[in-house]
Amino acid sequence: MMLSLLHDNLDYLLWGNLAQGQPGGLLLTVGISLAAGVLATLGGLAGGVALCMGGPRLCRVLNTLVQILRAIPVLMLIFWCYFLLPILFGIDIPGVLTVIAALALINAAYLSQSVKAGIDAIGDGQWRAAQALGMTRWQALRYIILPPALRAMLPSFVNQWITLLKDSSLAYVVGVAEFTFVATQINNREQVYPLQIFGLLAIGYLLLCSALEWLGRRAGRMPA
Amino acid sequence: MTPPSWLGQGWLAPHYLGWLLHGAAMTAALALCVSLAASLLGILLCAAQDSPLRVLHWPARLFCSLHRNTPLLVQVLLWYFGVGGLLPDQAMQWLNSPHQLALPLGLSLSWPSFEWLAAWIALSWYSACFISGELAAGLRTVGSGQRLAGRALGMSEWQIFRLVVLPQALRHIRQPLLGQYTAIIKNTSLTMAIGVAELSYASRQVESETLLAFQAFAVATLFYLLLVIATQLAGSRRSAEEPGR
């Protein structure tokens, strides 16, 4: 019985209606996470560098923004993006993009703090040595400070990517047909094996997150 | 000047504010219950991973990695639909019908709804894994020299833990733990997916009823900010009172 359920729904669970040009399921979850992950990483790096190199006024504005973003639930931020982005741009924006924007924003806020902490952890002596060699502040950041700082930050980046991957399941609340949404759809249709369906869903995420964790640990061990 | 059209017409009527306030109270109550249960469970998990009984190590570690590497929303759905489906029909009927426990002074305590129970268990188990991680990290900050010194003074293992290790570890644990309690407040928002009438659920309800999305989300966001700030203040107040800091 369970096997026939799996046989009937596995394609839909894995990639949604891909043949009709509507990717969904696990494939969409990976797509959302990749897009939001790249944006969040770039945003976090830019934010962290700005916190270290920018003036006091810029830092105060950025810090306030980060504090607010960290104090509200991701779900609330998705609601906000869902409601505000179409108004800001004056066009209809698909749910997938609003979710990507919300996830990128909140994770960039968390990552900017890790980047700032990572740069601060590199001793003052390094900055001064670079200055003594005639480097500008930006050259020192680019060639002296960032390379070891980024290596030290890798574990917190991997943790944040895992959080992002898990939070992509929240796209469910605005009706984006990702992995969790598709599973609840199947559950509503079949009504017989809720434990198996959601168990399978959990295993899917578990494999993705564990793979990410493993990759991160491998990359951390690689020689420079 | 007329307000922009996307702001909608007018402000929220008082009874909608009442819905949101009720949602905020529900969020606070759920977060409090989850924090209590998760702290207890977190201590047990931390003790199991640190215990001299090696057989306890891997089950505790497996429990944590299973919970940390799957989305909380999936765990909430699993408890609500999955475990709910496993319970016998009579149990579900009992859980879904109201029950009152009469207390003295004319007060009564009602048995929580099934979605509330599912949310409470799912959130507590999930948060306990993160709390146990913070506790273990805090205990590791106390150097082994401290334990050895305690032993040299003739203290028992329990005395060493109680008088030497714990007071020092608590100082390192306070801030991360406060972060976990904040995360619990934010995570209660996911329980709207199974119909717990907390703050996010209420904001969505008010929004669909009044079409005043901006106002509904703004009030809800403000309540979340207040709850989080209150938690942070309560935590930092406590650490300021601490002697020797």
Side-chain angles (χ1 to χ4, degrees), chain A:
Chain A
M1 286 304 264
M2 184 57 200
L3 274 178
S4 77
L5 172 96
L6 203 60
H7 182 260
D8 292 344
N9 294 303
L10 192 62
D11 274 352
Y12 188 55
L13 202 56
L14 287 183
W15 34 74
N17 297 319
L18 189 62
Q20 286 87 43
Q22 295 165 325
L26 191 62
L27 183 67
L28 190 60
T29 287
V30 172
I32 290 176
S33 307
L34 272 178
V38 169
L39 288 174
T41 304
L42 293 177
L45 280 172
V49 168
L51 280 174
C52 289
M53 308 288 278
R57 191 174 301 166
L58 178 69
C59 285
R60 211 171 315 132
V61 171
L62 276 180
N63 268 327
T64 315
L65 191 69
V66 167
Q67 292 302 331
I68 293 178
L69 282 176
R70 287 168 57 127
I72 62 172
V74 184
L75 199 77
M76 224 46 228
L77 193 68
I78 291 180
F79 285 168
W80 274 117
C81 287
Y82 197 69
F83 163 69
L84 276 185
L85 283 184
I87 294 168
L88 276 178
F89 292 99
I91 46 166
D92 233 13
I93 294 180
V96 182
L97 290 186
T98 60
V99 170
I100 290 176
L103 290 176
L105 200 60
I106 192 117
N107 287 290
Y110 278 99
L111 278 177
S112 70
Q113 303 262 296
S114 322
V115 171
K116 166 96 164 66
I119 292 177
D120 283 349
I122 304 287
D124 240 9
Q126 302 274 328
W127 284 102
R128 267 186 243 135
Q131 240 167 1
L133 289 173
M135 286 184 169
T136 63
R137 258 171 74 76
W138 284 99
Q139 279 175 327
L141 181 76
R142 164 77 184 78
Y143 296 106
I144 308 295
I145 305 296
L146 272 187
L150 284 179
R151 285 181 68 79
M153 284 172 217
L154 189 70
S156 53
F157 270 84
V158 173
N159 273 338
Q160 203 61 46
W161 290 332
I162 292 176
T163 306
L164 190 152
L165 180 65
K166 291 193 293 172
D167 282 349
S168 73
S169 63
L170 299 186
Y172 158 78
V173 292
V174 287
V176 172
E178 46 69 63
F179 202 26
T180 306
F181 184 84
V182 163
T184 50
Q185 261 184 332
I186 294 171
N187 179 50
N188 289 341
R189 194 167 61 215
E190 304 282 345
Q191 301 255 339
V192 253
Y193 301 108
L195 191 66
Q196 286 85 337
I197 292 172
F198 289 114
L200 198 64
L201 182 67
I203 291 171
Y205 279 108
L206 188 66
L207 290 177
L208 278 179
C209 293
S210 308
L212 197 52
E213 205 178 13
W214 181 77
L215 277 177
R217 220 177 289 152
R218 248 181 80 118
R221 273 203 305 266
M222 270 194 311

Side-chain angles (χ1 to χ4, degrees), chain A residues 70-73 75-76 79-80 83 87 110 166 169-170 172-173 180 194-195 198-199 201-202 205-206 209 213, chain B residues 6 66 68-71 73-74 77-78 81 86 126 186 189-190 192-193 204 213-214 217-218 220-221 224-225 228:
Chain A
R70 287 168 57 127
I72 62 172
L75 199 77
M76 224 46 228
F79 285 168
W80 274 117
F83 163 69
I87 294 168
Y110 278 99
K166 291 193 293 172
S169 63
L170 299 186
Y172 158 78
V173 292
T180 306
L195 191 66
F198 289 114
L201 182 67
Y205 279 108
L206 188 66
C209 293
E213 205 178 13
Chain B
W6 51 263
L66 282 180
R68 294 172 81 123
N69 281 332
T70 47
L73 179 61
V74 172
L77 293 173
L78 196 59
F81 290 110
L86 279 186
Y126 180 82
K186 295 190 284 172
S189 62
L190 304 202
M192 73 170 279
R204 201 62 195 268
F214 184 86
F217 294 155
T221 302
Y224 275 117
L225 283 175
V228 166

Side-chain angles (χ1 to χ4, degrees), chain B residues 207-244:
Chain B
E207 184 249 354
S208 60
E209 190 109 338
T210 61
L211 299 178
L212 298 172
F214 184 86
Q215 288 85 333
F217 294 155
V219 174
T221 302
L222 196 69
F223 280 151
Y224 275 117
L225 283 175
L226 287 178
L227 282 174
V228 166
I229 290 171
T231 310
Q232 302 280 0
L233 281 182
S236 53
R237 178 82 126 322
R238 286 286 292 280
S239 54
E241 282 166 7
E242 190 101 332

Side-chain angles (χ1 to χ4, degrees), chain B residues 13-26:
Chain B
H15 76 280
Y16 292 123
L17 285 178
W19 288 11
L20 288 166
L21 205 60
H22 187 263
M26 181 65 114

